[in-house]
Amino acid sequence: MTKKIKQTIGSWISVGSISVAEIMAEVGFDWLCIDIEHTSIDYSKVQELIIAIQSKGIKAYVRVGGNDEIIIKRVLDSGANGVIVPLVKDENDALHAVNNSLYPPIGTRGVNSLSRAQGYGFNFDNYVKQVNKKTEVILQ
C-alpha cells in the first residue's frame, strides 16, 4: 500500500520578535521553525514565540543547537510540536535524538517538571498518553 505524502510549506524564524512570529503565522504557512542554533534567541523567548505561532493554529518547531538532552527537553517542555536536530551523522546520533525527544517506552526523556507542554499539570495524564504520537523529531 502506498502512503500519500502531503507537502507542507514553512519558514524559519531567526529573530526573537513576537510580532514577526505572529505576522509569519498569519501568512498561511503550515509550520514555522524557531532557529536557536544560529541565533541569539534564548529559552524564555522560544516559549513566547511558540505561544505566538501556535495561537494562530500553526505548528511550531525549534531547531536546537545540538543533539543535547537538556536543550531538546527544554524546548519540548516549552510546547514545541517538534525539534529539528542538526549534525546527525549516523544511526547512533539518530537514536540519541529520538531517545532525548520521546518518553518511555520509545525514548528515555524524563519528566522533570510540569511545564507548558504538560498543561502546567492540569492535563498531565492526557499529555503523557498522547505526546509520543504527536512529537516530531526531524534529523538534519
Side-chain angles (χ1 to χ4, degrees), residues 5-136:
I5 298 172
K6 179 187 176 216
Q7 179 178 350
T8 64
I9 308 248
S11 190
W12 293 78
I13 294 179
S14 59
V15 294
S17 167
I18 293 171
S19 297
V20 169
E22 287 181 316
I23 291 166
M24 290 183 71
E26 287 287 352
V27 172
F29 290 114
D30 297 301
W31 53 267
L32 291 169
C33 178
I34 303 159
D35 186 356
I36 64 171
E37 180 182 17
H38 295 288
T39 68
S40 61
I41 299 172
D42 64 22
Y43 292 112
S44 61
K45 187 58 72 174
V46 165
Q47 182 165 313
E48 292 173 3
L49 295 171
I50 291 169
I51 291 168
I53 293 165
Q54 291 175 339
S55 74
K56 306 296 183 184
I58 306 299
K59 286 186 175 185
Y61 299 105
V62 177
R63 178 165 69 172
V64 295
N67 196 354
D68 180 273
E69 175 183 10
I70 302 302
I71 297 170
I72 292 170
K73 187 184 314 182
R74 288 184 79 176
V75 299
L76 290 174
D77 284 347
S78 292
N81 296 93
V83 290
I84 298 176
V85 182
L87 305 171
V88 175
K89 297 178 182 113
D90 56 32
E91 182 179 351
N92 286 335
D93 287 348
L95 288 171
H96 188 68
V98 170
N99 281 336
N100 289 334
S101 302
L102 302 177
Y103 291 107
I106 300 170
T108 58
R109 181 177 167 202
V111 178
N112 294 342
S113 65
L114 300 175
S115 300
R116 179 174 180 269
Q118 298 90 12
Y120 303 104
F122 294 108
N123 193 26
F124 184 74
D125 290 338
N126 188 46
Y127 170 81
V128 171
K129 290 176 188 172
Q130 300 297 321
V131 69
N132 280 351
K133 296 176 192 169
K134 295 180 180 181
T135 301
E136 298 178 50

